[in-house]
Amino acid sequence: MDVLRFQKANCKDCYKCIRRCAVKAIAMRDHHTEVIDEDCVLCGRCVLACPQYANQARWDIQPVRQLLQSDKPVYAMVAPSFSFQYGPDEFGPLRRQLMTLGFADAFESAEGACLVKTQYENLVAQGDRDVILSSCCPAVVLLIERHFPSLVPLLAPLLSPMQAEAKLLRRRFGPDAAIVYIGSCIAAKNECDQTPGLTDYALTYDELNALFVSNKLPVDLHGAQCSPEPRRRSRSFPLPGGVIGCMNKQEDYSYLSVDGLENCIAALNEIKAGRLHHCFIELRSCTGSCAGGPKMSADARNRLEGRIRIAHTADTLEDFPPQPTLPLERTFQPRYAQAKMPTEEEIQDILRKLGKNSPADELNCGTCGYSTCREKAIAIFQGKADITMCLPYMKKRAESLSDKIISNSPNAILAVDSALRIKLANRALADILGLPEDTVFTGRQVSDLMDDFEFITAFSSGEHTKARKTYLEQYDKYVEQVFISDENNNLVICLMKDITQAEKTRLSLQKTKSEAIEITDQIIAKQMRIVHEIASLLGETAAETKVALTQLKNTVAMEEEKLP
Ligand code: SF4
Ligand code: SF4
Ligand code: SF4
């Protein structure tokens, strides 16, 4: 099957799609989802469930566009839910718009539904079948083929309304025409892929809307001009009970209708257990039947107004004109892929790894996407799930890890609430403050222990502080503190590192250095004094010598002048 596309990048591990998948056909691998083709029934619920739009149905508008641009005549057949999707109860406005888009013509697949329901009536009338299961919903057909193989023989061996209508159109327009189905169903795409030569493409309403928008055509046809059209009984097919509602009944036979995948599964289990007999059961995968189909526009799906509107178009005993007999038979195959089942010992082993050592530990909370821990353990064994998808397990693991970190941290950790009461304190706090090991901190005002100024500042600013050094005088301790504001939990957390030893060593070194500097200063001062004294002594001697020599020089000069 190539109908669902799961986009890895968008998946955010929320498991919502797994919770919604009634047949658990989604595997979680490397933190993203993968569809398990052999289990998937294409109900489309994972597509609707995913808040990240990571699961999408295949878009076929590109090949349909190419067909519309080719020389081939392309015919549209539209599901009877059209009236609620597009507006008027009449088909005329939508038909005209489809022809504007390039379709050669457009028809209602309710015409094919009429052929199918007549064959259902014939099957019941034959009287040789105890239980007959409708085969008009392709998701239900996949459900029975893949998950209830023993019930395959109970399926009415007939084409779906889409296939019957395609057969009718092929007979009218020949094998060269192209036929495109339009409706709310994702599973129809697979049915179309599986029966080449009947329907070329199955578009959903959102794909058709995209084609309308790109051709500047409206997607809401309320108020479009239309002529009155006759009501047709088989237009009730998209409603819960719509199939049996338009059938002529046999008095001795029961007619039941079931919609919604879980309800279908429950009904099939009942049938498997042999509790139902002599009945025709209409089974529809979607809650609200096709009117609640995955590709009805979001605001229309499951609205009661839609059901009333569709019922209105079918409120008659008249139906489509009879057609020359068409062969509508088809066969179904069991396609059950039995996944390997673990032994009880293997299940218990996985449960133990999940921290489920006794039944009381099995919370069956469903957050992993599986209804029970046991079901989850089986999925782990089968490679569909992994151990980290268990939220209570991960929480416990994270708590025990954080407990270990907090209680073994050499630094004090102190959390204080907005009333400045201690909510959490670890063992290191008592060590650092030099208090007895069994000191109880929680519940006390932080001001009993230390100045609360920084806590108040962190609460009012909502900001973290950088590491800063503080002296806690009453404990004679130097600490480095960081204040973390945790607004979500209304706490301020103080991380405190004891730096007393380092700080005292630093101060003592600083003191020694200061003393050394002082001694050096004293020595220098003394030396300077001596130098000055020497200098002044040297200065006096030089002056006296200079005076003596000058006198001597003058005396010699005078003596020379006296000579003849
Ligand atoms: S719903 Fe599924 S696919 Fe979407 S984000 Fe959640 S786990 Fe992923
Ligand atoms: S389409 Fe349905 S069956 Fe398939 S994976 Fe999604 S929810 Fe499951
Ligand atoms: S109920 Fe209709 S829309 Fe839903 S899966 Fe079946 S056929 Fe498709």
Side-chain angles (χ1 to χ4, degrees):
M1 286 197 304
D2 174 33
V3 176
L4 288 184
R5 307 273 158 91
F6 283 32
Q7 287 158 21
K8 289 182 191 178
N10 292 6
C11 181
K12 298 285 181 282
D13 288 19
C14 71
Y15 317 136
K16 201 171 171 192
C17 54
I18 301 177
R19 278 194 289 283
R20 292 292 289 138
C21 181
V23 291
K24 299 296 173 248
I26 299 172
M28 201 76 198
R29 293 188 181 125
D30 296 331
H31 300 283
H32 64 81
T33 46
E34 279 175 23
V35 67
I36 304 166
D37 267 350
E38 52 277 23
D39 289 340
C40 175
V41 301
L42 293 173
C43 66
R45 300 201 314 179
C46 55
V47 174
L48 290 177
C50 180
Q52 305 298 326
Y53 306 104
N55 307 341
Q56 293 295 330
R58 184 183 76 208
W59 269 45
D60 291 317
I61 56 174
Q62 201 46 37
V64 170
R65 239 190 219 124
Q66 281 165 2
L67 270 180
L68 291 173
Q69 285 160 2
S70 72
D71 296 336
K72 259 192 176 194
V74 188
Y75 294 93
M77 49 180 184
V78 187
S81 48
F82 76 85
S83 55
F84 189 45
Q85 176 68 34
Y86 287 106
D89 292 352
E90 290 74 17
F91 186 55
L94 181 59
R95 177 172 172 247
R96 279 200 306 277
Q97 184 150 303
L98 286 165
M99 289 167 77
T100 308
L101 199 61
F103 284 94
D105 206 341
F107 300 86
E108 295 181 58
S109 66
E111 201 180 5
C114 179
L115 298 178
V116 171
K117 73 105 192 180
T118 309
Q119 294 296 323
Y120 285 166
E121 288 165 355
N122 294 342
L123 267 186
V124 177
Q126 282 165 20
D128 55 355
R129 286 172 169 258
D130 184 27
V131 175
I132 301 173
L133 305 177
S134 68
S135 51
C136 53
C137 170
V140 163
V141 168
L142 284 174
L143 176 70
I144 295 173
E145 286 185 329
R146 292 178 170 187
H147 299 277
F148 293 89
S150 64
L151 302 185
V152 165
L154 305 189
L155 277 166
L158 294 165
L159 297 180
S160 70
M162 174 184 85
Q163 293 170 318
E165 179 67 14
K167 212 156 194 182
L168 203 59
L169 296 183
R170 289 248 167 255
R171 191 166 66 183
R172 273 184 213 155
F173 302 111
D176 293 336
I179 296 173
V180 175
Y181 173 76
I182 296 156
S184 63
C185 185
I186 288 175
K189 285 181 181 283
N190 181 59
E191 195 179 77
C192 173
D193 295 348
Q194 297 306 309
T195 46
L198 267 184
T199 313
D200 292 283
Y201 293 101
L203 293 186
T204 54
Y205 287 133
D206 55 353
E207 290 173 282
L208 181 61
N209 288 346
L211 281 176
F212 282 160
V213 169
S214 64
N215 284 275
K216 300 191 171 41
L217 292 168
V219 292
D220 184 351
L221 299 176
H222 279 97
Q225 214 183 11
C226 44
S227 336
E229 290 173 17
R231 295 175 187 181
R232 305 287 192 198
R233 202 177 171 195
S234 291
R235 282 188 185 143
S236 68
F237 252 62
L239 298 175
V243 176
I244 57 173
C246 67
M247 283 170 70
N248 295 322
K249 314 275 187 324
Q250 298 286 326
E251 276 190 2
D252 58 343
Y253 220 66
S254 304
Y255 294 82
L256 306 166
S257 147
V258 181
D259 63 315
L261 204 55
E262 276 89 359
N263 294 337
C264 289
I265 291 171
L268 292 170
N269 277 321
E270 241 185 298
I271 297 164
K272 204 169 146 188
R275 290 204 286 270
L276 291 172
H277 296 284
H278 220 52
C279 53
F280 179 96
I281 308 178
E282 169 191 336
L283 294 164
R284 317 297 290 271
S285 159
C286 296
T287 304
S289 193
C290 305
K295 290 295 178 177
M296 283 302 288
S297 60
D299 64 334
R301 191 179 317 114
N302 287 336
R303 276 206 343 238
L304 287 181
E305 183 202 346
R307 298 193 196 174
I308 293 167
R309 296 266 309 282
I310 296 167
H312 177 70
T313 66
D315 184 17
T316 174
L317 289 178
E318 296 300 312
D319 221 327
F320 290 89
Q323 296 292 329
T325 320
L326 265 182
L328 297 182
E329 294 77 28
R330 74 165 153 165
T331 53
F332 301 102
Q333 300 298 325
R335 297 175 208 274
Y336 183 49
Q338 164 80 65
K340 192 167 179 256
M341 286 302 283
T343 61
E344 185 56 33
E345 201 179 318
E346 284 165 329
I347 294 174
Q348 291 306 326
D349 193 37
I350 295 170
L351 285 172
R352 270 193 297 279
K353 282 187 189 138
L354 282 165
K356 323 277 181 208
N357 297 309
S358 72
D361 293 330
E362 292 176 34
L363 303 181
N364 301 328
C365 65
T367 44
C368 59
Y370 295 87
S371 316
T372 63
C373 301
R374 199 182 161 80
E375 213 184 290
K376 163 81 185 302
I378 294 171
I380 291 175
F381 177 85
Q382 292 172 340
K384 293 191 208 171
D386 72 55
I387 212 159
T388 61
M389 289 164 67
C390 175
L391 194 65
Y393 163 76
M394 290 303 282
K395 187 167 169 270
K396 221 164 160 182
R397 205 170 83 164
E399 279 169 359
S400 88
L401 187 66
S402 62
D403 278 356
K404 266 185 204 148
I405 293 170
I406 289 172
S407 57
N408 292 306
S409 165
N411 299 327
I413 299 171
L414 180 64
V416 169
D417 67 13
S418 55
L420 301 176
R421 260 192 310 267
I422 299 172
K423 300 295 284 182
L424 177 147
N426 66 350
R427 217 170 34 202
L429 182 66
D431 291 350
I432 290 177
L433 302 185
L435 298 172
E437 206 177 289
D438 56 359
T439 307
V440 176
F441 294 108
T442 44
R444 289 170 61 181
Q445 289 297 124
V446 70
S447 55
D448 289 354
L449 291 182
M450 61 187 73
D451 189 351
D452 56 11
F453 177 75
E454 294 296 348
F455 288 93
I456 295 169
T457 309
F459 270 118
S460 54
S461 70
E463 286 174 5
H464 307 338
T465 63
K466 288 194 180 137
R468 67 173 58 134
K469 215 184 312 174
T470 307
Y471 177 56
L472 303 176
E473 198 180 349
Q474 65 270 47
Y475 308 103
D476 186 26
K477 289 281 180 178
Y478 289 94
V479 289
E480 200 171 69
Q481 291 176 318
V482 174
F483 290 86
I484 299 163
S485 162
D486 176 2
E487 286 183 341
N488 290 341
N489 293 305
N490 205 18
L491 292 174
V492 165
I493 299 158
C494 171
L495 307 180
M496 213 154 66
K497 183 176 170 188
D498 186 359
I499 53 167
T500 307
Q501 193 59 44
E503 192 60 13
K504 284 190 171 168
T505 308
R506 189 184 69 78
L507 287 174
S508 139
L509 272 175
Q510 201 175 37
K511 193 170 163 221
T512 312
K513 217 154 63 181
S514 303
E515 285 169 2
I517 289 168
E518 204 181 314
I519 292 168
T520 311
D521 282 349
Q522 286 168 6
I523 293 170
I524 290 171
K526 198 169 172 186
Q527 291 298 314
M528 287 308 291
R529 253 193 338 269
I530 293 168
V531 168
H532 279 127
E533 280 169 15
I534 292 169
S536 78
L537 282 174
L538 281 174
E540 275 172 27
T541 315
E544 283 166 7
T545 308
K546 188 180 172 188
V547 171
L549 285 175
T550 308
Q551 278 178 355
L552 182 62
K553 191 180 93 179
N554 291 341
T555 308
V556 172
M558 280 166 60
E559 289 299 321
E560 275 181 359
E561 279 174 13
K562 286 177 190 170
L563 287 175

